[in-house]
Amino acid sequence: EVQVVQSGAEVKRPGSTVKMSCNVSGKTFSDHYLHWVRQAPAKGLEWLGLVDPKDGEVLYAEKFKGRVTIRADTSTDRTFMEMISLRLEDTAVYFCATGDVPVPNFWGPGALLTVIS
Amino acid sequence: QSALTQPASVSGSPGQSITISCTGTNSDVGSYNLVSWYQQHPGKVPKLIIYEATKRPSGVSHRFSGSQSGRTASLTISGLQAEDEADYFCFSYMGSTSSFVFGDGTSVTVL
């Protein structure tokens, strides 16, 4: 059974940095991309980026280039997402997701990031 | 506002069929058969129901089907049931920016 376990909720100040992690078990970690997606309260899904764990190649949404860094650690089957210069509007639930098909079909439970002044 | 356009809401009666559209451009939806669809119930994690425009993951009901014509992808729900009431998001690769994007989402109401 594939399991995606995320790190816990975070509370941060504007201008600070958050780092979230996600552990995947039950499948070959490097077989498929690892995506990061967020969802602000009562809003839709927003794609942040992905990492290919085979070679570390990353893709980012234009909006997050320069502010988000995603990487994968194949020695621990974990992916990390770091976001700098946090703003109030970054308050959201952050999901990591992977799959056994070309797009994510195994999602973590989400981790709430609250940015509060 | 997303680069992928979805209707804000669609409704239907139990047993009916409804279709949700997702319109992009020739550089994303129109160039790749890579549109996926996710169902999300309130407070729940998104669930993949269609990928690569027409494929259903294992375990997904046959009442869900996908199609694509040009720059518009569509999700059809047949035999609408109360449990289908949820938000539905399309998701596509964008060749122009080498990235992925979600549509703004469609709220489905079962009357």
Side-chain angles (χ1 to χ4, degrees):
Chain A
E1 180 193 0
V2 177
Q3 288 196 313
V4 181
V5 178
Q6 297 189 229
S7 52
E10 301 266 8
V11 179
K12 294 290 182 180
R13 299 290 190 193
S16 65
T17 295
V18 70
K19 187 174 182 179
M20 295 182 164
S21 67
C22 177
N23 176 253
V24 178
S25 62
K27 68 179 287 291
T28 303
F29 181 72
S30 57
D31 272 356
H32 291 90
Y33 298 151
L34 298 156
H35 296 250
W36 285 87
V37 175
R38 76 179 185 181
Q39 188 167 36
K43 298 292 185 184
L45 301 170
E46 185 171 31
W47 184 81
L48 276 68
L50 65 80
V51 60
D52 182 347
K54 273 201 219 41
D55 58 13
E57 181 181 358
V58 290
L59 296 178
Y60 296 109
E62 287 287 325
K63 175 179 177 178
F64 296 106
K65 284 180 181 175
R67 209 159 69 89
V68 166
T69 302
I70 296 170
R71 69 177 182 91
D73 182 344
T74 55
S75 67
T76 58
D77 289 357
R78 296 174 80 187
T79 178
F80 301 90
M81 188 282 297
E82 182 177 85
M83 183 179 287
I84 65 172
S85 303
L86 289 172
R87 307 159 184 166
L88 298 177
E89 56 265 34
D90 292 321
T91 293
V93 174
Y94 287 74
F95 297 98
C96 70
T98 186
D100 57 3
V101 294
V103 290
N105 61 336
F106 298 114
W107 291 62
L112 176 62
L113 167 65
T114 304
V115 183
I116 187 167
S117 55
Chain B
Q1 190 168 354
S2 173
L4 301 179
T5 301
Q6 296 183 235
S9 62
V10 173
S11 62
S13 299
Q16 283 187 331
S17 293
I18 61 169
T19 297
I20 303 168
S21 61
C22 173
T23 301
T25 68
N26 289 326
S27 65
D28 43 71
V29 175
S31 293
Y32 309 92
N33 279 345
L34 291 177
V35 174
S36 306
W37 290 91
Y38 289 88
Q39 176 194 59
Q40 188 181 31
H41 289 102
K44 301 294 187 182
V45 170
K47 176 186 177 183
L48 180 67
I49 53 174
I50 295 289
Y51 68 100
E52 291 180 351
T54 61
K55 298 178 181 178
R56 252 189 322 271
S58 172
V60 172
S61 171
H62 285 77
R63 297 186 301 104
F64 295 96
S65 62
S67 63
Q68 183 167 332
S69 177
R71 56 191 185 91
T72 296
S74 300
L75 171 71
T76 297
I77 309 175
S78 306
L80 200 61
Q81 300 179 359
E83 67 207 48
D84 300 330
E85 191 160 288
D87 293 325
Y88 292 82
F89 298 90
C90 59
F91 180 61
S92 177
Y93 179 70
M94 309 277 288
S96 58
T97 54
S98 297
S99 63
F100 285 83
V101 67
F102 284 98
D104 286 334
T106 299
S107 177
V108 168
T109 301
V110 181
L111 301 171

